[in-house]
């Protein structure tokens, strides 16, 4: 890829759930400060692959991984890697918003507190900045002490993005972040993704191809555990080089 720096690079990555192989020999370069979308039918390995990028699959019994994942040229599966430190750098936003049963303020301040920041003025600064970056400050600024569970679904998802931004990651992984939201909330999340890519490398799994076309710069198409094609989003959607990609995009299967 010309004129882009590579942030994440996987080489010959295989993943097994027990004896079942879920990812097959994935080699992929993900560019820095761009939005990369993973598309493909349900169960094709998109979310599994996303979770290899912050070692979330380590938490699942019976998972075996071989191959490598490099972030800034460091293999994150090296045995000397501090996984806690790694996950500070890589924020994760899930399909279902998962605010803590705490106040809006305490949700966003949670990560910085865990990382040792206790000074109230510093926490306030981080919370305000994170809520602004997540495009939700104006909606919640008068209710920071209220429970986060009182927010709408779309607001909860943007709060979760603010919580992720509060620990200052450089990569944000999003696993179908708008699939449970109404169209207006979805469009707010999409606008937010476009704004955040100036400062963060974003990888998004989506089952919504129109969404991938709208928000991403690059798209990877997965099918039954394999990476079939990866290119600029415009190329994938208008002139894919693989027949399977074309058939999926034109709705012939999936």
């Amino acid at each position: 890829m010309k004129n882009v720096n590579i942030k994440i690079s996987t080489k010959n990555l295989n993943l097994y759930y027990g004896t079942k192989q879920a990812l097959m020999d994935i080699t992929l370069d993900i560019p820095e400060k761009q939005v990369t979308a993973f598309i493909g039918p349900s169960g094709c390995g998109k979310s599994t692959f996303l979770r290899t990028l912050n070692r979330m699959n380590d938490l699942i019994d019976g998972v075996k991984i071989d191959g490598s994942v490099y972030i800034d040229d460091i293999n994150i599966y090296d045995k000397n890697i501090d996984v806690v430190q790694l996950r500070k750098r890589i924020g994760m936003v899930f399909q279902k918003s998962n605010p803590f049963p705490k106040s809006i303020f305490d949700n966003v301040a949670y990560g910085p507190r865990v990382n040792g920041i206790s000074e109230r003025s510093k926490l306030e600064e981080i919370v305000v900045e994170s809520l602004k970056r997540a495009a939700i400050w104006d909606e919640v600024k008068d209710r920071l002490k209220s429970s986060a569970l009182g927010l709408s679904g779309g607001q909860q998802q943007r709060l979760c993005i603010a919580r992720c931004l509060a620990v200052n990651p450089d990569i944000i992984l999003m696993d179908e972040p708008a699939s449970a939201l109404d169209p207006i909330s979805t469009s707010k999340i999409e606008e937010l993704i476009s704004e955040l890519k100036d400062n963060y490398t974003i990888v998004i799994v989506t089952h919504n191809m129109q969404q991938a076309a709208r928000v991403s710069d690059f798209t990877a198409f997965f099918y039954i555990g394999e990476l079939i094609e990866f290119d600029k989003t415009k190329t994938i959607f208008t002139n894919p080089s693989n027949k399977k990609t074309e058939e999926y995009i034109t709705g012939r299967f999936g």
Side-chain angles (χ1 to χ4, degrees):
M1 286 182 283
K2 291 176 189 161
N3 307 326
V4 291
N5 294 326
I6 300 305
K7 183 71 175 176
I8 306 168
S9 186
T10 72
K11 292 188 170 61
N12 308 117
L13 188 72
N14 296 285
L15 181 142
Y16 303 82
Y17 292 121
T19 56
K20 180 182 181 291
Q21 188 167 1
L23 294 176
M24 300 171 200
D25 207 31
I26 309 276
T27 295
L28 177 63
D29 288 336
I30 295 174
E32 183 176 40
K33 292 185 182 169
Q34 305 277 322
V35 180
T36 299
F38 296 168
I39 62 169
S42 293
C44 68
K46 310 183 292 287
S47 293
T48 296
F49 181 61
L50 188 77
R51 290 193 301 266
T52 65
L53 307 181
N54 65 349
R55 293 189 51 173
M56 286 283 279
N57 290 313
D58 292 19
L59 306 172
I60 301 169
D61 286 343
V63 163
K64 177 173 162 281
I65 295 171
D66 60 54
S68 54
V69 178
Y70 289 89
I71 294 179
D72 294 331
D73 298 327
I74 294 165
N75 185 0
I76 66 168
Y77 283 88
D78 192 291
K79 60 181 185 298
N80 302 319
I81 288 290
D82 181 334
V83 178
V84 174
Q85 290 298 323
L86 171 75
R87 292 198 189 120
K88 278 186 198 169
R89 294 184 51 205
I90 306 170
M92 182 108 186
V93 178
F94 296 91
Q95 179 173 1
K96 189 173 183 319
S97 55
N98 56 343
F100 303 136
K102 298 171 177 280
S103 71
I104 292 167
F105 184 96
D106 286 341
N107 262 272
V108 184
Y110 180 83
R113 280 184 175 131
V114 168
N115 293 343
I117 296 171
S118 56
E119 191 186 322
R120 183 76 187 180
S121 62
K122 183 67 183 157
L123 286 171
E124 283 175 355
E125 188 184 314
I126 292 169
V127 169
V128 171
E129 180 61 26
S130 303
L131 290 168
K132 283 180 175 172
R133 279 190 172 176
I136 191 176
W137 169 250
D138 288 339
E139 294 162 59
V140 301
K141 62 186 177 189
D142 300 323
R143 49 195 286 205
L144 295 180
K145 291 180 180 168
S146 303
S147 169
L149 303 179
L151 297 172
S152 71
Q155 288 173 325
Q156 286 187 9
Q157 194 62 299
R158 279 180 287 142
L159 177 69
C160 291
I161 293 171
R163 191 174 68 195
C164 161
L165 300 178
V167 293
N168 209 19
D170 45 358
I171 296 167
I172 302 174
L173 308 179
M174 297 183 165
D175 194 355
E176 300 201 9
S179 67
L181 304 179
D182 63 84
I184 291 171
S185 298
T186 296
S187 98
K188 285 184 175 170
I189 296 286
E190 290 181 4
E191 282 169 27
L192 177 55
I193 289 168
S194 299
E195 286 164 20
L196 290 173
K197 76 174 183 186
D198 290 344
N199 296 298
Y200 307 92
T201 300
I202 298 175
V203 185
I204 176 171
V205 167
T206 179
H207 66 271
N208 180 330
M209 281 187 287
Q210 289 81 13
Q211 183 171 77
R214 285 192 298 263
V215 304
S216 69
D217 303 288
F218 292 86
T219 295
F221 170 56
F222 288 83
Y223 184 64
I224 318 181
E226 292 185 57
L227 174 63
I228 303 296
E229 187 168 352
F230 176 70
D231 211 326
K232 286 186 171 167
T233 296
K234 189 173 179 188
T235 304
I236 290 279
F237 280 92
T238 58
N239 189 26
S241 59
N242 188 290
K243 192 167 190 312
K244 264 204 187 81
T245 313
E246 184 187 353
E247 286 175 352
Y248 180 69
I249 281 165
T250 53
R252 270 175 260 173
F253 74 92

